[in-house]
Amino acid sequence: MTSRKTAIVLGGSSDIGRAAARAFAKAGYDVALAGRDVAALEPDAADLRARYDVVVGLYKFDVLDTASFEGFVNGLPALPDVVISIVGLLGVQENAESDLAHATTIMRSNYEGPSLILGLFAEKFLGRGTGTIVGVSSVAGDRGRASNYVYGSAKAGFSAFLSGLRARASRGGVHVVTVKPGFVRTRMTEGMKLIGPLTVDAPVVGDAILGAVENKTDVVYVSGKWRLVMLIIKTLPEAVFKKLRF
Amino acid sequence: MTLVSGWGRFPVVDSELLRPRSFEAVGEAVVAGSVARGNGRAYGDAAIGAVRTVAMTGFDRVRSFDPATGRIRLEAGVLLSDLIDTFGPRGFLPFVVPGTRFVSVGGAIAADVHGKNHHCEGGFGRYVDSILLRTGQGETIEASREENSDAFFATIGGMGLTGIILEATMRLRAVETGWIRERVIAASDLDAAMRALDDGDAATYSVAWIDCAAKGRDLGRSLIYLGEHAGPGELADGAAAFPVGKNPGLAVPVDLPAMTLNRTSIRAFNELYYRMGARRAGGSHVVSLYPYFFPLDAIADWNRIYGRRGFLQHQCVIPQAGARAVLGEILGRVAQRGDASFLAVLKKLGEGDGILSFPLPGYTLALDFPVKGDIMNFLDEVDRLVVAAGGRLYLAKDARQSRTTFEVGYPALQRFNAIRRSLDPAGNIRSKLSQRLFDEV
Ligand SMILES: Cc1cc2nc3c(=O)[nH]c(=O)nc-3n(C[C@H](O)[C@H](O)[C@H](O)COP(=O)(O)OP(=O)(O)OC[C@H]3O[C@@H](n4cnc5c(N)ncnc54)[C@H](O)[C@@H]3O)c2cc1C
């Protein structure tokens, strides 16, 4: 009997995290959810077990507590086949402009923590010679915007990290996926003005992540329209871009 | 404030829309004038809070499932589409599904929705064993047929007015496949249609699509669809036991000008529909559950077809005795006007389960009308015919009936109101619908 594949979701309590866990469990993976508040993950674990009859593990994981990372990875009962980092913090740009602590938290939550933990998993995966790493980054990292460049720059760093890691790890049999969801209707974006046709629901992102892992896609813009939008935005000359309001 | 409306996009009214993330937050969200909202598939003003609307679709977790019995405990925001996609392949389906799969469990309980099997298997509420209810008074109670049974039977079909359903335990139906063996019967007029439905009483599923543009001798001509769950041996070679449900592909991107729907286009559509169906009449064939149960779900946002001003659905039920005459009268008047829906739906209902449940043994007719001209007066007249025949109107579709029609149609109202008062003495739970039809003025 071949044992089932396993996926671990870091940031399992987020809407996208829940959706990703459901997509993988539905596809027959045993899943693990990792988050700051393990008790809060219990209902999601019960949901996955009831729906898909899979084994679900729960682990404590805090993306800001980088000192705990090695212990966390070594403490897992087995190395998963897939690791997915959904962790991120939008924060409040206006506050981050003057509050260094807030800016730091945004930067660490979106760049430092996710990169370090995925880097660690990458080493283990390379040692084994297989594995898939998924980082959920953002279209906001494609170009810094006046309205959210603290968050955007951290995501840009994360995207660059993933891209470099992919180049290196692919030679060792390890695949790295970068996901750029665009606008997603989630708790994080609640109350924000989202552009309808460019906005998707969390389950669409979950399915896209699963699809990218199975098809070995490198970079996914969840809604194809974003690839075009960001291509245009990326190629606008800085002189024009700085005059645009967004 | 936010502008909120039901599926019919009429009326559009101001109500603060809140999306709590925990059951505690649901409790805190309830202020004077709040009501729960599921997936907004009620046509009129049932899912709009007088002051505040509490959106429940975020609560979409399954708590437990027993594959031996099909018993499931879940949060009220789980959509039936999600249940079907998740548990269908495992051999389980909801016992009762309405004409769209995009309704929440909470909304299906609150409206005690009926499916094509109501005549023999009853409504959604019949398969609910218990609910976790957050009352207007601020208590959270478990209610079942044995425990807090008044609250239980008032909540089934109670249009959210007993409080907010947080969770429910219900039974799913074990099925061998996700396919339906369908038999189509062409009926040339109303008598034939009613007869075919009567003959179909033994069929698990039955429904008639009426061409409501047909007049005179053709009045009531329809296609009757009978259905049974198909066994694995009946499927086409190589067909999966469970078909894949596609997400609505084609969407109606903008509000079509009301012009698109006119006498000619409606008549042409109906003619074509009837002819195509009649050609399939006779033998039986196996179809996927999706087109069988949810034909309209194939087109996303189809409610925009009726234009910016929205539309009304009028769904009545008329007791068996005397139904022929009243249905004939209503269909005659509708055909005369020529602006009603593409298709009307006629089906038989059985006994209702909740105190305020819509179904009663008889025939139910559902029609769509764009909001324009003298439609309100026209429907007021139709309502009078309905209640004179001992019938009533479906609250999940209603946006405009009068207090009188409502009160005459629902004689158990006194009892419902007494239970409602005991659960919510301060009257915190109020929707636009309850303000229009129930609440003391
Ligand atoms: C295309 C189409 C076809 C349909 N076909 C049928 C049919 O065949 N048979 C049928 O019976 N109905 C049918 N309906 C109506 C639909 O099934 C009901 O209106 C159902 O209640 C909608 O569920 P919802 O989750 O969208 O609820 P909403 O529309 O959001 O709410 C409906 C009612 O339920 C209450 N409610 C919702 N969630 C909760 C909760 N958690 N706790 C307490 N109260 C709650 C609301 O207060 C409101 O009174 C159809 C609707 C459409 C659009």
Side-chain angles (χ1 to χ4, degrees):
Chain A
M1 210 185 93
T2 58
S3 64
R4 291 152 65 99
K5 286 196 280 186
T6 58
I8 185 167
V9 181
L10 311 174
S13 65
S14 68
D15 288 338
I16 295 178
R18 290 173 58 194
R22 279 190 189 170
F24 279 80
K26 186 171 189 180
Y29 284 75
D30 286 332
V31 289
L33 305 175
R36 248 178 320 193
D37 182 354
V38 172
L41 291 171
E42 277 298 348
D44 291 313
D47 174 74
L48 293 165
R49 291 184 195 113
R51 283 171 181 261
Y52 306 113
D53 197 21
V54 295
V55 177
V56 185
L58 292 182
Y59 302 99
K60 184 170 166 50
F61 172 76
D62 180 349
V63 79
L64 293 175
D65 184 11
T66 51
S68 71
F69 285 5
E70 289 195 306
F72 169 75
V73 176
N74 292 328
L76 294 173
L79 201 56
D81 296 287
V82 183
V83 56
I84 305 161
S85 170
I86 319 267
V87 193
L89 173 73
L90 187 57
V92 180
Q93 165 72 25
E94 274 165 39
N95 298 353
E97 286 159 11
S98 51
D99 176 350
L100 294 193
H102 186 54
T104 306
T105 310
I106 297 174
M107 291 173 179
R108 295 189 59 211
S109 306
N110 292 298
Y111 171 58
E112 181 195 67
S115 301
L116 291 179
I117 189 71
L118 292 185
L120 258 183
F121 272 105
E123 292 317 301
K124 302 268 177 191
F125 285 2
L126 284 167
R128 182 179 61 186
T130 60
T132 306
I133 288 171
V134 182
V136 175
S137 186
S138 172
V139 294
D142 285 2
R143 189 156 195 179
R145 290 164 54 195
S147 58
N148 72 350
Y149 60 84
V150 177
Y151 171 81
S153 63
K155 286 294 193 189
F158 186 42
S159 292
F161 182 92
L162 291 169
S163 141
L165 182 64
R166 169 163 44 246
R168 175 178 152 239
S170 66
R171 289 168 222 143
V174 173
H175 180 56
V176 177
V177 181
T178 308
V179 183
K180 299 182 179 179
F183 296 148
V184 189
R185 279 176 215 98
T186 63
R187 202 173 343 181
M188 185 166 106
T189 58
E190 196 164 337
M192 288 170 47
K193 272 222 168 79
L194 304 175
I195 303 168
L198 287 176
T199 307
V200 297
D201 290 314
V204 177
V205 185
D207 290 342
I209 293 175
L210 174 69
V213 168
E214 307 223 305
N215 302 325
K216 297 212 177 295
T217 316
D218 293 333
V219 181
V220 210
Y221 286 86
V222 172
S223 163
K225 294 166 195 152
W226 275 105
R227 195 178 285 276
L228 181 67
V229 170
M230 293 321 297
L231 182 72
I232 296 167
I233 290 180
K234 275 192 283 193
T235 45
L236 282 176
E238 199 71 15
V240 177
F241 187 70
K242 73 180 186 198
K243 297 210 176 86
L244 294 181
R245 294 206 166 270
F246 49 31
Chain B
M1 297 294 256
T2 320
L3 291 178
V4 188
S5 68
W7 183 248
R9 307 171 79 214
F10 175 90
V12 181
V13 285
D14 246 345
S15 182
E16 188 188 3
L17 190 63
L18 235 67
R19 209 169 268 289
R21 284 293 181 158
S22 66
F23 287 166
E24 296 78 68
V26 171
E28 288 155 19
V30 175
V31 293
S34 307
V35 85
R37 181 180 182 90
N39 209 29
R41 253 53 179 188
Y43 280 67
D45 51 4
I48 308 174
V51 174
R52 179 180 277 182
T53 305
V54 184
M56 295 296 290
T57 41
F59 298 97
D60 68 347
R61 294 189 189 94
V62 177
R63 294 263 186 242
S64 62
F65 173 66
D66 179 357
T69 58
R71 237 160 169 262
I72 190 167
R73 175 82 177 184
L74 32 64
E75 292 177 344
V78 173
L79 298 186
L80 294 191
S81 56
D82 185 11
L83 273 187
I84 294 168
D85 292 347
T86 305
F87 292 96
R90 294 179 71 180
F92 290 94
L93 289 177
F95 266 94
V96 172
V97 292
T100 170
R101 65 193 199 274
F102 302 115
V103 304
S104 69
V105 167
I109 295 172
D112 189 18
V113 301
H114 54 270
K116 296 176 168 63
N117 55 338
H118 197 276
H119 61 286
C120 55
E121 297 186 320
F124 198 87
R126 193 167 292 182
Y127 304 93
V128 175
D129 292 334
S130 68
I131 50 175
L132 186 68
L133 183 72
R134 203 288 184 183
T135 68
Q137 187 165 228
E139 285 180 324
T140 301
I141 60 170
E142 187 76 18
S144 66
R145 285 173 181 77
E146 296 79 34
E147 189 187 353
N148 293 312
S149 63
D150 272 357
F152 181 77
F153 287 107
T155 301
I156 290 175
M159 301 311 294
L161 298 174
T162 57
I164 299 189
I165 305 165
L166 302 174
E167 292 183 11
T169 302
M170 53 187 248
R171 275 161 290 146
L172 299 179
R173 171 202 302 272
V175 292
E176 291 181 305
T177 77
W179 299 83
I180 301 291
R181 181 174 1 101
E182 175 191 68
R183 195 150 64 84
V184 186
I185 298 163
S188 55
D189 60 18
L190 184 59
D191 287 312
M194 294 177 74
R195 221 178 308 120
L197 280 179
D198 289 342
D199 290 346
D201 269 348
T204 306
Y205 301 104
S206 75
V207 67
W209 292 91
I210 297 194
D211 168 0
C212 47
K215 312 187 207 189
R217 274 193 320 155
D218 292 339
L219 188 76
R221 82 173 171 181
S222 28
L223 298 168
I224 291 88
Y225 294 87
L226 305 180
E228 301 294 340
H229 288 279
E234 299 175 60
L235 309 189
D237 285 344
F242 208 84
V244 184
K246 291 190 201 69
N247 276 325
L250 207 60
V252 178
V254 291
D255 304 325
L256 296 180
M259 271 292 290
T260 327
L261 274 190
N262 55 35
R263 277 160 197 269
T264 322
S265 65
I266 290 175
R267 178 123 13 109
F269 176 83
N270 280 274
E271 187 72 39
L272 189 71
Y273 186 86
Y274 181 78
R275 293 232 183 128
M276 280 174 39
R279 240 187 288 150
R280 287 199 299 157
S284 65
H285 50 272
V286 173
V287 295
S288 154
L289 72 93
Y290 294 99
Y292 183 78
F293 290 120
F294 317 115
L296 288 168
D297 284 350
I299 305 170
D301 305 330
W302 63 263
N303 51 346
R304 306 184 86 159
I305 288 176
Y306 288 90
R308 200 179 289 280
R309 291 167 72 186
F311 69 111
L312 302 164
Q313 179 158 106
H314 187 272
Q315 182 166 6
C316 63
V317 58
I318 298 166
Q320 186 96 16
R324 168 65 184 85
V326 183
L327 288 173
E329 176 69 26
I330 296 174
L331 286 171
R333 292 190 190 198
V334 169
Q336 213 54 49
R337 282 178 67 86
D339 71 342
S341 37
F342 285 116
L343 292 164
V345 180
L346 180 69
K347 89 157 256 84
K348 287 185 82 174
L349 296 179
E351 211 67 65
D353 289 286
I355 296 171
L356 218 61
S357 285
F358 164 69
L360 50 80
Y363 295 87
T364 177
L365 176 69
L367 300 153
D368 293 335
F369 298 91
V371 176
K372 63 171 198 219
D374 65 341
I375 187 62
M376 300 295 175
N377 293 334
F378 175 78
L379 291 177
D380 286 345
E381 283 172 32
V382 174
D383 292 355
R384 281 192 280 275
L385 296 174
V386 169
V387 293
R392 56 169 70 141
L393 300 177
Y394 191 11
L395 295 174
K397 307 290 180 71
D398 183 43
R400 47 141 294 278
Q401 74 172 302
S402 69
R403 272 177 188 250
T404 318
T405 330
F406 171 59
E407 284 165 6
V408 178
Y410 286 84
L413 184 60
Q414 299 298 331
R415 191 169 153 228
F416 177 82
N417 277 336
I419 299 170
R420 192 178 161 210
R421 267 194 303 275
S422 76
L423 295 170
D424 181 17
N428 286 328
I429 304 287
R430 275 164 198 258
S431 61
K432 293 288 178 187
L433 178 135
S434 82
Q435 283 188 312
R436 180 166 59 84
L437 296 176
F438 291 70
D439 301 339
E440 282 111 48
V441 265

